[in-house]
Every structure is written in C-alpha cells, then in structure tokens.
Amino acid sequence: MKKIIILLSIFIITSTLSAQDADDLVKTGDIMPEFKLTSTVNGNIDSKELKGKIILINIFATWCPPCQLELAEIKNDLWPKYKDNPKFVMLTVGREHSDEELTKYNEKKGFTFPLYPDQKRDFTSKFATKSIPRSYIVDETGKIIYTSLGFQKKEFESLMKILDEKLSK
C-alpha cells in the first residue's frame, strides 16, 4: 500500500511540474518575444524600442491576492529605487484588464508606476498561458535572465539582487 501511495504521489508531482513547464512559453536564456503594448493613459511601447535597457516585466491581475503582495513590494521598494535609472524600464501589465479598469484600480492603490492593459492577452500569451503573477528580467541584449511565478518574499529579494547587479554597472 505504501508503494502505491508513493508512486501515486510521484505521478501527481511529475504531472504538476510538466503542466507548469507547458505553461511557460519563454524561459531563462530565451530571447524576449517582440510585442507592442497600447495604452491611452501611458502611451505605447514597442519592444524594438527597448534595446539596450534592463527590462522588468510584471504580469498581474487586480483580483489576484499574490499579485497584490508583489505589487506592494514594487510600489514600496523596487520602483522608488530604480524609476530614475535611465537604463531601466518596467512594464507592469494587467492581464485581461482595460485602461479604464487599471485607472480605477490605480486610484485605489496609488501606484506611481504605469500600468499597461492586456485585455485580450495579446501580450501575456507570448510569455505564458496561465498562472500569475509572473516576472521576467530581460538584459540589455534582449535575453531573459530571470523568471518567476507567484510571489514569495525571498524570490522577490532575488529579483532585486539581479536588478542591483545589472543596474549598478
């Protein structure tokens, strides 16, 4: 009986990890996919115009509790530290949200960083098919050098450390 439980547990864990891997469309080491973000509030972004920058991409939803924790860390620690660095670009993208929804949300939260809509998942579908929050760091050559899924304080500290290293050069 113990063997069956152990084998069943291994199967479930392996299936879960395989499903999670299938969800990731880009991984560390991949080149960032080309994209365009359109916002009537914050302007338009074309990935081709970001060459030479260190880019942090954060994908979230307003209804997602882990996203709220991560966005609070961005608001309190990350954005104040890096917002004035000319080598840094942060793209905080609301999956399945419109400019109007994000404006109302921002009025409640008081973020000073731009929020970009991705109402039809045109942007987010280039990175992953489900599961948020997600963060990606892209280096100045366009290569993804960091990915994270979900929010954990320790993981966020790793993200901050990588940004420190890349932006202090």
Side-chain angles (χ1 to χ4, degrees):
M1 185 66 165
K2 284 184 179 180
K3 287 182 181 181
I4 292 173
I5 293 172
I6 290 171
L7 289 173
L8 187 58
S9 297
I10 291 170
F11 174 75
I12 290 170
I13 290 169
T14 304
S15 298
T16 302
L17 292 175
S18 296
Q20 197 170 19
D21 286 346
D23 179 37
D24 296 328
L25 301 177
V26 296
K27 295 177 177 38
T28 302
D30 289 351
I31 297 298
M32 177 182 69
E34 289 188 4
F35 61 83
K36 291 183 182 184
L37 285 170
T38 304
S39 171
T40 57
V41 176
N42 296 302
N44 301 330
I45 302 283
D46 186 326
S47 60
K48 294 175 185 173
E49 298 168 359
L50 301 176
K51 301 263 189 246
K53 304 280 186 182
I54 303 299
I55 307 161
L56 171 62
I57 297 169
N58 177 263
I59 300 170
F60 77 99
T62 60
W63 50 262
C64 164
C67 298
Q68 305 315 302
L69 295 172
E70 186 166 57
L71 289 170
E73 293 291 327
I74 290 170
K75 176 184 177 181
N76 296 327
D77 297 327
L78 191 149
W79 185 244
K81 185 171 186 174
Y82 301 117
K83 68 180 180 179
D84 295 324
N85 189 318
K87 296 189 279 183
F88 178 68
V89 173
M90 184 171 74
L91 303 174
T92 310
V93 181
R95 188 180 79 177
E96 297 180 353
H97 292 296
S98 66
D99 262 325
E100 183 179 287
E101 291 169 323
L102 293 176
T103 297
K104 288 178 185 175
Y105 174 72
N106 198 18
E107 287 170 2
K108 291 180 194 173
K109 295 295 185 174
F111 298 137
T112 58
F113 49 86
L115 303 176
Y116 293 92
D118 187 26
Q119 197 162 12
K120 296 179 183 176
R121 289 195 186 193
D122 294 329
F123 174 85
T124 56
S125 67
K126 295 175 186 266
F127 291 87
T129 58
K130 54 188 169 200
S131 303
I132 49 175
R134 290 189 177 263
S135 290
Y136 303 88
I137 298 175
V138 181
D139 73 8
E140 55 280 327
T141 69
K143 184 168 72 173
I144 296 171
I145 60 170
Y146 172 89
T147 65
S148 71
L149 169 61
F151 174 77
Q152 292 181 356
K153 181 75 170 165
K154 191 160 186 78
E155 185 72 23
F156 191 79
E157 290 168 1
S158 296
L159 179 147
M160 291 288 289
K161 183 178 178 187
I162 291 168
L163 287 175
D164 281 341
E165 289 170 4
K166 295 301 285 181
L167 293 169
S168 65
K169 291 181 179 180

